[in-house]
Amino acid sequence: MENPFKKAYTAFENKVLRNTNPQKLKAVSAAMSPDKSYSGQLEMESITMQSKNLAEWKTAIQLATDPENPDRSSLRTLYENLMLDNHLASVIDSRILYCQRSTFKIVSATGEENEELSALFERTWFEELVRLILMARFQGTTLIELFELDILGELNDVTEIPLGYFNPLKGIIIKAPGDSKGWDYKEGIMANYYLQIGKDKDLGMLAQVAPIVLAKKMGIGAWLDFIEKYGVPPLFITTDREDDGRLNQLFEAAQNFKSNHFMVGRGNEKFEVPSITSNNPSGAFNPLVERANSEISKRFLGGTGLTDEKGFVGSVEIQFKLAKDRFESDKLMIKNYMNKMVIPRLIKLSPVYSGLNGQTFIWDNAEIRTSKETAELVNILGNQFDIDPEWVEQQTGVPILGQKATPGSADPLAAAEAKKKSLTKK
């Protein structure tokens, strides 16, 4: 008797395997294997946090804009160094966190929300995706890998292909910086797993603010040098001894003075620590740091009102409106990428996302009120309008059993019931 398993496999082989392009099968197999993702095959280098200067900035820009074989590896190390500046990192976080904390929903063509589909994006990978999409504004062309699935078929994580490991002009991912050949990510079956953000030649805003950030770093470095040289007053020793033995003793004692905090002398020897009033460098260095921070805030947020330590209420409100224009622009950018590029890739990536077909990602711009603000709104509107108690309960989270009657007035619930009965009798 013929083995039924062998019979079934033979039928599958004849109808499916033999009619499938072997190259396509190989590509699909490689795509479904976690250790075959392009990001897992890169020859990564250790990160070196060496100081940068304007000459290195010019070189990095020149290499990144090479028309034949652009190399962004130097630009990557420059950007990593710039992000050590806390003020710069803070204003970039302000742009990114605003979008990450904004509510969204997946809606149909009629505008009705599908809560189950919306819940598919309430994941850590979506937060990271939003960050990487927005980072393209700052670091230029960004390449994202949508590859890793969990056992349920959901996207588990997104991975950034670092600058220097892909060539946007050629559309390839390279194994090591400087390679001229690599894996195609714009065409072929693997194109569904990679998402390029930004145009091929975008370098981002960090390339523009690099000079002011480097100047700030240089100023702080000079500040530290000043403190090291002049922050601790010098020690003057006067003696009438001229023999080398005593001079060597005094020299050794002076070297140990900072740790011992006392000196022992003989005869007419004097030890003096002069008062130096010019050892406060804030007047020379603080203006440079403040000016650099101001320039960075203006470039990324439209003004300094949201980052300065002091500000008037009116001016801060105006500055927030300027910054909000940038926030809304970021949200529009994410919305467009989600609908045009991310959702189509997710549908092809896993059956879990098949329900997204015909659906749209939008930001939920409904005003979010606290329970206290809702209660105040009900108190104001309740003087003129009848408000649904169920809505109030839902918005505030406070169980509402009924309306309390005021002294001297009839129970409104009883009055409503009586009116209902009278209408029924008629």
Side-chain angles (χ1 to χ4, degrees), residues 128-141:
E128 179 67 5
L129 180 67
V130 170
R131 186 188 73 84
L132 292 177
I133 291 176
L134 292 183
M135 279 303 296
R137 288 200 184 275
F138 311 112
Q139 69 179 10
T141 315

Side-chain angles (χ1 to χ4, degrees), residues 41-44 165 173-177 179 181-183:
Q41 303 181 58
L42 304 180
E43 295 180 354
M44 301 300 296
Y165 285 88
I173 298 174
I174 54 180
K175 199 169 186 178
D179 290 352
K181 295 182 180 180
W183 304 290

Side-chain angles (χ1 to χ4, degrees), residues 53-71:
N53 52 44
L54 288 177
E56 291 173 294
W57 166 69
K58 295 177 182 178
T59 301
I61 297 296
Q62 185 177 8
L63 292 174
T65 55
D66 188 299
E68 296 182 359
N69 190 32
D71 183 0

Side-chain angles (χ1 to χ4, degrees), residues 105-124:
K105 55 186 177 180
I106 304 296
V107 299
S108 62
T110 59
E112 184 178 356
E113 180 183 4
N114 188 317
E115 295 183 358
E116 293 183 359
L117 293 179
S118 298
L120 290 177
F121 294 91
E122 295 175 357
R123 304 287 189 271
T124 304

